[in-house]
Amino acid sequence: MFFATPALDLQLFLLINQHWHFGLLDTIMPLLSSMAVLMALLAVAVAAAVLKGGKKQLILFLVLLAGMGVSDFTTKLAKDEIHRVRPLNAVAGTRYVENGEWRSRPDAFVRTKENGSSYPSAHCANTMTLALLALLLWPGLKAWPLVVPLLTGYSRVYLGKHYPTDVLAGWLWGVVVAGAVWLLWRELSRRYPSLRP
């Protein structure tokens, strides 16, 4: 890994993961990190958009999914180069979920892994890409889609999967990917007007 965990990064992780927790959040946070839940919500959104706006709405959802695919693939490339160990495998006392149950690393826990896949957060990159593309493709949504990456980012720290800087890097990368995909889509839809809903 090319950087050590900054003190502020670790302190914020410890606050969110080890101190700011209670029963209701313990139930909600795994759901906010679930890609299955996100895909189910997207399926409902697709059905609603097609019913209201016609089959051409599917093209916009394909653009959205393509953007998320690019985001996921490129964050994996970064993870494979950076190798930052996830906090649940590096920090004593970290709370995490395993097989549906909350557990904690013991106070005497010592990091054993040399490599990991913590930086950047793919969940955060993908959901930020989704949110920004949704805002650009359907301007009537206003700012509501941005709630998704914000809640997902918090959940990733809460669950011990990422440090706050992993989340921030994921969000920033999501902005870059969404911008690039949007520019490409805008150019394609200008050249081929029949693609536009």
Side-chain angles (χ1 to χ4, degrees):
M1 188 185 80
F2 66 82
F3 63 89
T5 300
L8 182 60
D9 195 19
L10 179 59
Q11 288 168 5
L12 188 53
F13 169 78
L14 293 173
L15 279 174
I16 294 170
N17 178 263
Q18 297 184 21
H19 299 287
W20 295 347
H21 60 85
F22 58 91
L24 181 60
L25 285 181
D26 283 357
T27 302
I28 293 171
M29 288 299 156
L31 296 174
L32 293 176
S33 272
S34 170
M35 282 295 118
V37 170
L38 182 62
M39 289 301 122
L41 292 174
L42 266 179
V44 170
V46 168
V50 169
L51 284 172
K52 186 176 179 182
K55 290 182 179 177
K56 280 204 169 181
Q57 290 291 315
L58 288 173
I59 295 172
L60 298 182
F61 278 97
L62 288 175
V63 172
L64 193 71
L65 290 173
M68 291 176 69
V70 169
S71 171
D72 195 61
F73 177 73
T74 53
T75 52
K76 185 180 184 318
L77 293 178
K79 288 171 183 281
D80 290 346
E81 291 298 317
I82 297 168
H83 302 296
R84 188 181 202 186
V85 177
R86 292 182 186 272
L88 70 91
N89 294 318
V91 180
T94 297
R95 300 175 70 251
Y96 63 100
V97 175
E98 186 176 277
N99 299 323
E101 293 183 14
W102 280 95
R103 301 175 189 232
S104 293
R105 294 295 188 202
D107 291 339
F109 177 77
V110 177
R111 174 181 145 177
T112 55
K113 289 191 172 188
E114 286 301 313
N115 294 319
S117 58
S118 193
Y119 187 96
S121 166
H123 277 71
C124 294
N126 297 344
T127 54
M128 183 60 81
T129 299
L130 180 150
L132 290 181
L133 281 176
L135 287 173
L136 292 165
L137 295 168
W138 295 279
L141 292 174
K142 300 183 181 175
W144 287 110
L146 291 174
V147 172
V148 175
L150 294 177
L151 291 176
T152 300
Y154 191 87
S155 76
R156 300 309 284 165
V157 179
Y158 192 95
L159 292 166
K161 297 286 190 178
H162 290 289
Y163 296 96
T165 48
D166 302 336
V167 168
L168 182 60
W171 284 340
L172 292 173
W173 187 242
V175 170
V176 170
V177 172
V181 170
W182 167 248
L183 290 173
L184 179 59
W185 164 249
R186 195 171 65 174
E187 181 60 23
L188 283 172
S189 60
R190 184 186 66 79
R191 290 189 185 190
Y192 307 101
S194 61
L195 289 175
R196 292 196 295 261

